[in-house]
Amino acid sequence: EAAVTQSPRNKVTVTGGNVTLSCRQTNSHNYMYWYRQDTGHGLRLIHYSYGAGNLQIGDVPDGYKATRTTQEDFFLLLELASPSQTSLYFCASSDAQITSQNTLYFGAGTRLSVL
Amino acid sequence: QQQVRQSPQSLTVWEGETAILNCSYEDSTFNYFPWYQQFPGEGPALLISIRSVSDKKEDGRFTIFFNKREKKLSLHITDSQPGDSATYFCAASPMGYKLTFGTGTSLLVDP
């Protein structure tokens, strides 16, 4: 089964702080994704990537940067964190771009609080 | 605007009953509809999915009913068990494109 590991699991920062969320997948998947989960909004796509060095903009990208350094590693960067970015963040991977045959494999999540 | 809507927001059923979770969508290009199950403290995991060419998909106690004309689908969980207590997300995508998730339904199965 696909393994997606996120770190840290919990993070507290202050407004204006600099935060990096990390994600590693060990199943040679091409696609990796960053989502945020908020009550009343479900899961919303922030950024995604189809390979090392590639970055695609998702549905709610404002205030976030991302970088895919290797096929395994995908990072989400909040350079000036704001309280509105307090959320539960999930990383996911899949074999290819979403089609009817592909499955998203999610990590366990990072809970971020911006005070 | 939420393109994928789910109802109810929360649902409680007794053990052994059938839980019915509803989903509707706006975009007529959506043709793939997975349901993801999420337990507290974990990430979502694929539970069952259906393509728009079918009107029903069954996997054990879990069944998706799909109505393309009305742009609605539902997930039926028969003989509900306490272990089914989780949040269920309906999602949708056009073929070969990214998923759009609904807001989720929190299911509690009382023993």
Side-chain angles (χ1 to χ4, degrees):
Chain A
E1 184 167 323
V4 180
T5 304
Q6 293 183 235
S7 62
R9 291 298 310 277
N10 293 280
K11 177 72 177 179
V12 179
T13 190
V14 296
T15 299
N18 194 321
V19 176
T20 298
L21 307 184
S22 302
C23 178
R24 167 166 283 198
Q25 56 93 6
T26 57
N27 291 278
S28 302
H29 285 171
N30 292 322
Y31 279 78
M32 296 185 74
Y33 310 80
W34 278 107
Y35 286 88
R36 60 178 291 174
Q37 182 177 353
D38 304 285
T39 302
H41 292 279
L43 291 152
R44 293 181 290 175
L45 182 63
I46 304 170
H47 290 299
Y48 65 105
S49 165
Y50 56 74
N54 175 265
L55 181 64
Q56 302 293 316
I57 293 172
D59 298 321
V60 289
D62 292 346
Y64 301 96
K65 292 183 179 179
T67 180
R68 180 90 176 267
T69 54
T70 65
Q71 186 177 29
E72 294 79 20
D73 298 303
F74 196 29
F75 301 93
L76 186 67
L77 294 76
L78 291 73
E79 295 183 332
L80 287 172
S82 72
S84 65
Q85 294 175 309
T86 293
S87 186
L88 181 57
Y89 291 87
F90 286 101
C91 176
S93 71
S94 69
D95 276 342
Q97 191 175 16
I98 297 296
T99 71
S100 63
Q101 299 300 323
N102 287 316
T103 300
L104 284 177
Y105 294 90
F106 284 86
T110 294
R111 187 167 294 281
L112 175 66
S113 296
V114 183
L115 306 178
Chain B
Q1 183 182 3
Q2 190 71 31
Q3 291 198 49
V4 178
R5 293 189 174 89
Q6 291 187 245
S7 65
Q9 185 174 353
S10 62
L11 176 65
T12 300
V13 299
W14 294 108
E15 183 175 355
E17 291 186 333
T18 296
I20 300 176
L21 289 65
N22 300 303
C23 180
S24 64
Y25 61 98
E26 304 276 337
D27 192 334
S28 58
T29 67
F30 288 159
N31 56 16
Y32 169 58
F33 304 90
W35 285 81
Y36 280 77
Q37 180 188 53
Q38 183 183 28
F39 295 108
E42 299 181 9
L46 179 66
L47 177 65
I48 186 172
S49 64
I50 193 168
R51 287 201 260 176
S52 59
V53 293
S54 302
D55 56 13
K56 182 180 177 181
K57 177 76 173 290
E58 207 167 342
D59 185 357
R61 297 184 295 108
F62 300 90
T63 302
I64 300 174
F65 293 94
F66 179 69
N67 185 321
K68 186 173 183 177
R69 183 180 60 83
E70 296 187 6
K71 296 181 183 174
K72 291 182 178 179
L73 56 159
S74 59
L75 175 67
H76 292 225
I77 306 174
T78 58
D79 188 25
S80 295
Q81 302 297 308
D84 297 330
S85 297
T87 299
Y88 293 81
F89 290 100
C90 173
S93 122
M95 183 70 71
Y97 197 57
K98 59 183 172 65
L99 280 172
T100 298
F101 283 86
T103 53
T105 293
S106 178
L107 173 66
L108 177 64
V109 180
D110 271 337

